[in-house]
Amino acid sequence: MAGCQALSGADIKESGFQPSNNPITVDNVSRNDRMAELAKSQHPRILATYGGEYSDPRLERMVAKVVGNLTTVSGNPTQAYRITILNSPNVNAFALPGGYLYVTRGLLALANDSAELAAVIAHEMGHVTANHGIQRQQKEAEEVLANKVVTDVLGESPTAKVALIRGKLRLAQFSRNQELEADAIGIKASGQAGFDPYAAGRFLQSMAAYSDFRSVSGATDPSLDFLASHPNTPQRIELAQRHARLVGVPGTGLRDRDSFLAGIDGMLYGDTPDEGYVRGTTFLHPRLGISFSVPTGFVIDNTAAAVTATGPGDMAIRFDGVSLDRKTSLPDYLRSGWVAGLDANSVRAETVNGNEAATATARADGWQFGITVIRAGDQVYRLLTAAPLASTSLAQVSRSVSDSFRVLTPAEKAALKPLRIRVVTVRPGQNIGTLSAMMVGVDRKLDLFRVLNGLAPGATVSAGDKVKIVTDR
């Protein structure tokens, strides 16, 4: 990217990106930089936390073009950047010292043009330019914190590794004042690169709409989202508009919407096949070949560690799997000590849709639990339903969930397809209602359509407009 710094934004073309015999890379430029080396050591761990790197050459070229334009006006022309698209449905972007930039495909799905993406990336580049990572490390006892992150992450438990990365990766989090400073730097830089400076305000509004949508639908892991570490308030949006006005009047700069939409067309949306799919109140896992459903009113959240669901009356459901020796009976497994407060007299051997199973109940710390373990193939699956002691719905909900568990047929597994972003052109007679009805595999289609396309309440679409929908086709 740094090799493009002598070019103007208008001169940058895809065909101009040719390999160099002596490329300027993050690794080359940041060698012997202690903070950059620390950031580099975190890269594999970030990939592990966010589902790895998302590979799509067309999408990567689109993002690279945006970053290339921004490097021509970088506040630090000697800084090289490495940007990674993370294979995560969470909406996030962040920077590490030394020029490591990250953006999730979830964020790319929410943005609506190259200018909005440029605003996000320029904001993160602003953190690097302003040395915010270094400032934060100095403020919080740099060596102690950094060593603790590395030590903790290298612990033995895979689950602990993920939890520690989420809770302790402070390198990517900045103070509110640093966020606002990065806003100012980013808006100025994206405007100088020829992008619409008002895009930052638009994307912050989309973030607010996304936050409202998620608070109702419960989608994705909030601890891994942009909102967890980036303040998002009406005052911040107003400040962004104010910074934009310093660059130019509304209409200044390019949005480059067509290029952006072409880049994300076909991009994976939501869960990956390795994690299984949530379709309304049903969870289906094509690789494991199993499925179960939760009652109406419950919202499923699919994470790397487990599948959980929350519902009315503070009830919750958790699903996961364990390896168990076939010589161990399921009733004996329930009595083996992993269930706190188990009522040993409640343990029953059962069959669920042709699969060996066992059930039990437990009480602990003001909660009552219904537990079902089911053996399918070489795996044992655990369904745990929790409810407050005063609840009278536990037995009904627990039975409903366990009875819904089944093994998928080969035809059902083959028919399951991941959801993708598809860009469609609005035809005469189509409106927001008919377009959102085309979406599959998602709840609250109309609300999600508005959020994904940055449409405020009351906004409409016209024939010829390009819009995003979610579908498995």
Side-chain angles (χ1 to χ4, degrees), residues 16-31:
F17 288 95
Q18 298 295 330
S20 168
N21 293 327
N22 186 26
I24 300 175
T25 67
V26 168
D27 292 340
N28 291 344
V29 173
S30 61
R31 189 171 290 125

Side-chain angles (χ1 to χ4, degrees), residues 50 90 92 166 173 214 220-226 228-229:
Y50 284 88
N90 294 280
N92 211 348
R166 291 175 178 171
Q173 298 180 4
R214 190 186 65 190
T220 72
D221 183 346
S223 71
L224 296 180
D225 275 336
F226 194 85
S229 58

Side-chain angles (χ1 to χ4, degrees), residues 25-44 46 79-80 82 95-102 128 131 133-134 137 142-143 146 171:
T25 67
V26 168
D27 292 340
N28 291 344
V29 173
S30 61
R31 189 171 290 125
N32 299 322
D33 180 327
R34 186 161 49 90
M35 289 301 296
E37 289 297 323
L38 176 61
K40 181 181 178 180
S41 74
Q42 299 306 308
H43 181 72
I46 290 173
Q79 176 68 63
R82 172 178 178 170
L96 297 184
Y100 287 79
L101 304 174
Y102 301 87
V128 176
N131 288 325
I134 295 174
Q137 289 300 295
E142 169 187 319
E143 290 296 340
L171 292 170

Side-chain angles (χ1 to χ4, degrees), residues 42 94-97 132-134 136-137 140 145-146 149 163-175 178 223 228-229:
Q42 299 306 308
F94 49 93
L96 297 184
H132 286 162
I134 295 174
R136 185 174 182 90
Q137 289 300 295
E140 298 189 5
L145 177 63
V149 171
L164 287 163
I165 292 168
R166 291 175 178 171
K168 301 181 184 299
L169 190 56
R170 304 303 184 190
L171 292 170
Q173 298 180 4
F174 304 102
S175 73
Q178 288 173 331
S223 71
S229 58

